[in-house]
Amino acid sequence: MDFELTREQQQVQARAREFAQRRVAPIAREADEHGVFPLHLVREMGECGFLAGPIEPSYGGAGMDYVSFALVYEELGRADSSVRGFLAVHAGLVSLCIRDWGTEEQKRRYLPRLAAGERIGCYCLTEPEAGSDVGSIATTVREDGDDFVLSGEKIWITNGNIADVAVVFATRDRAARHRGLSAFIVETDTPGFHRQKMPGKELGHRASDHARILLDGCRVPRTAALGSPGEGFKVAMSALDHGRLGVAAGAVGVAQACLDACVDFTRRRRQFGQRIADFEMVQATLADMACSLEAARLLVYRAAWLKDRGLPTTRETSMAKLFATESALRAASEAVLLHGGRGYSSEYPVERYYRDIKGLQIYEGTSHIQRIIIARELVGRGS
């Protein structure tokens, strides 16, 4: 086994780190406090080749391997989870979904603009009564002449208010559950596509754009269908495999940021006449944090490595997502504790890491769902 990154992967990592620390990190606190996504970064990410990393150059992408793309997610997550979350939806759930399931016409029409940041994508799956249980989707689709007509409600749609393109899931027959689902590419200026900001204030990812979307007789042409009729569940699950890799890698970035902050703080903070880094209990905490971080990183890189080889990755991606988010959650909790009163204030970034990481446990399937996926991959389904 070779654990060394290739020269090309190291170059991508360095470019992503430089962008994240120079362009993203300095504005992360302000964006979080004001709850406004830094839209000016979208075109910049496109120029860097981040918006559609694994997409083929013929469609405007950078042609990255998945390990390289995981490195991009990690570095962005280390700086700001809201920006990393934007990318996971825009690229992982939308662009890669269109690449995997779209017609040649759809790929030519949408992928280059998404890759350049000329268009923004959102992924409309979650509903008030359908999150983990995708088969309970209530948004309906009916045929009317040469068109499809969509009606229903979607919630917690990241990028929803700023998106130009939406991948929307709807059912032809609610009784058929998973087998009744179909997917569609919907342009958000289509009549009947209405959106508004989600009510309340998020615990974390406060700079992300989260929308409630109402589809009121939203009419789209037959060419908007993504995949074949009834394949919506397969489309959704394959997209979530891409998105989960982004969440897992982002969680590694959060854990790294927590460790960096704690090492720096414990070296500088003095109590009882010495650095708190010299207390054995503090050292034990830092050691555990570092070990969990490296284990999570290896799980993420392995899942990405398997994707690069065209092998099935559902179990490995779920394992990476589960372990990385849970590890980062512990790291963020310990980071706040080690910072004491300072960690309880937005003056230090560990407070934001603590709020943000909880969302990563939920997005693209909760930790409970990841455990179910992993277990079913191990033992199968009962008869």
Side-chain angles (χ1 to χ4, degrees), residues 1-17 64-75 78 249 252 256 294 297-306 308-309:
M1 291 182 288
D2 185 358
F3 292 99
E4 287 293 323
L5 298 177
T6 66
R7 182 179 179 183
E8 291 76 13
Q9 289 164 349
Q10 290 173 357
Q11 290 172 342
V12 170
Q13 182 185 50
R15 190 165 73 249
R17 182 172 298 170
M64 289 182 193
D65 59 23
Y66 284 101
V67 172
S68 294
F69 205 39
L71 294 169
V72 174
Y73 281 132
E74 180 181 334
E75 294 301 329
R78 189 175 177 183
V252 170
Q256 182 67 65
E294 289 305 318
R297 179 173 279 127
L298 288 173
L299 281 172
V300 170
Y301 291 3
R302 180 171 182 266
W305 180 84
L306 290 170
D308 281 326
R309 278 146 186 79

Side-chain angles (χ1 to χ4, degrees), residues 18-97:
E18 192 274 338
F19 176 82
Q21 296 306 313
R22 181 177 60 85
R23 300 295 295 145
V24 181
I27 63 173
R29 176 180 169 182
E30 181 180 0
D32 179 81
E33 290 181 347
H34 292 285
V36 177
F37 184 78
L39 272 172
H40 66 278
L41 293 180
V42 175
R43 290 292 186 103
E44 293 183 34
M45 286 192 283
E47 292 169 1
C48 291
F50 300 154
L51 289 184
I55 300 292
E56 294 81 355
S58 58
Y59 296 119
M64 289 182 193
D65 59 23
Y66 284 101
V67 172
S68 294
F69 205 39
L71 294 169
V72 174
Y73 281 132
E74 180 181 334
E75 294 301 329
L76 290 177
R78 189 175 177 183
D80 181 35
S81 288
S82 292
V83 174
R84 193 279 319 157
F86 168 91
L87 182 63
V89 172
H90 177 90
L93 296 182
V94 178
S95 293
L96 288 173
C97 186

Side-chain angles (χ1 to χ4, degrees), residues 18-312:
E18 192 274 338
F19 176 82
Q21 296 306 313
R22 181 177 60 85
R23 300 295 295 145
V24 181
I27 63 173
R29 176 180 169 182
E30 181 180 0
D32 179 81
E33 290 181 347
H34 292 285
V36 177
F37 184 78
L39 272 172
H40 66 278
L41 293 180
V42 175
R43 290 292 186 103
E44 293 183 34
M45 286 192 283
E47 292 169 1
C48 291
F50 300 154
L51 289 184
I55 300 292
E56 294 81 355
S58 58
Y59 296 119
M64 289 182 193
D65 59 23
Y66 284 101
V67 172
S68 294
F69 205 39
L71 294 169
V72 174
Y73 281 132
E74 180 181 334
E75 294 301 329
L76 290 177
R78 189 175 177 183
D80 181 35
S81 288
S82 292
V83 174
R84 193 279 319 157
F86 168 91
L87 182 63
V89 172
H90 177 90
L93 296 182
V94 178
S95 293
L96 288 173
C97 186
I98 293 174
R99 184 204 65 179
D100 291 347
W101 294 91
T103 64
E104 186 63 24
E105 180 185 353
Q106 289 170 336
K107 289 188 259 192
R108 295 287 178 193
R109 179 173 182 174
Y110 294 110
L111 292 181
R113 292 183 176 184
L114 290 167
E118 296 173 5
R119 295 289 185 271
I120 292 173
C122 68
Y123 182 83
C124 301
L125 181 73
T126 303
E127 299 182 1
E129 300 302 325
S132 299
D133 182 9
V134 175
S136 291
I137 280 179
T139 295
T140 60
V141 56
R142 62 181 176 84
E143 296 185 42
D144 185 15
D146 292 331
D147 297 332
F148 292 112
V149 181
L150 302 165
S151 299
E153 176 186 7
K154 303 292 183 179
I155 60 171
W156 285 111
I157 306 305
T158 301
N159 302 347
N161 288 300
I162 59 176
D164 306 284
V165 179
V167 174
V168 178
F169 295 87
T171 182
R172 296 166 175 267
D173 178 7
R174 292 190 66 184
R177 290 181 55 77
H178 303 85
R179 293 184 297 276
L181 296 179
S182 295
F184 304 88
I185 303 174
V186 181
E187 298 184 10
T188 59
D189 60 358
T190 303
F193 192 102
H194 306 293
R195 46 196 176 170
Q196 57 190 235
K197 184 174 173 57
M198 283 295 295
K201 188 171 185 177
E202 301 93 330
L203 173 66
H205 292 75
R206 289 180 176 172
S208 293
D209 176 84
H210 297 126
R212 174 176 179 254
I213 292 176
L214 296 176
L215 300 161
D216 183 13
C218 183
R219 184 179 294 269
V220 297
R222 286 188 175 274
T223 54
L226 184 61
S228 301
E231 283 189 322
F233 184 73
K234 292 180 180 179
V235 175
M237 293 303 105
S238 68
L240 288 174
D241 267 352
H242 291 307
R244 283 169 185 154
L245 181 64
V247 172
V252 170
V254 173
Q256 182 67 65
C258 290
L259 180 60
D260 293 342
C262 288
V263 168
D264 179 67
F265 182 77
T266 59
R267 282 172 170 170
R268 292 185 292 103
R269 175 68 168 160
R270 300 184 69 84
Q271 289 287 274
F272 305 101
Q274 61 181 329
R275 305 182 310 171
I276 64 172
D278 295 320
F279 290 103
E280 291 183 355
M281 188 176 293
V282 171
Q283 292 175 347
T285 298
L286 295 176
D288 288 344
M289 198 182 295
C291 289
S292 291
L293 167 61
E294 289 305 318
R297 179 173 279 127
L298 288 173
L299 281 172
V300 170
Y301 291 3
R302 180 171 182 266
W305 180 84
L306 290 170
K307 286 178 77 69
D308 281 326
R309 278 146 186 79
L311 298 172

Side-chain angles (χ1 to χ4, degrees), residues 25-26 28-30 32-33 261 264-265 268-269 336 339-353 355:
R29 176 180 169 182
E30 181 180 0
D32 179 81
E33 290 181 347
D264 179 67
F265 182 77
R268 292 185 292 103
R269 175 68 168 160
V336 171
H339 280 70
R342 292 165 175 80
Y344 203 63
S345 164
S346 62
E347 179 186 3
Y348 283 73
V350 293
E351 180 264 351
R352 174 163 48 88
Y353 303 153
R355 289 187 288 104

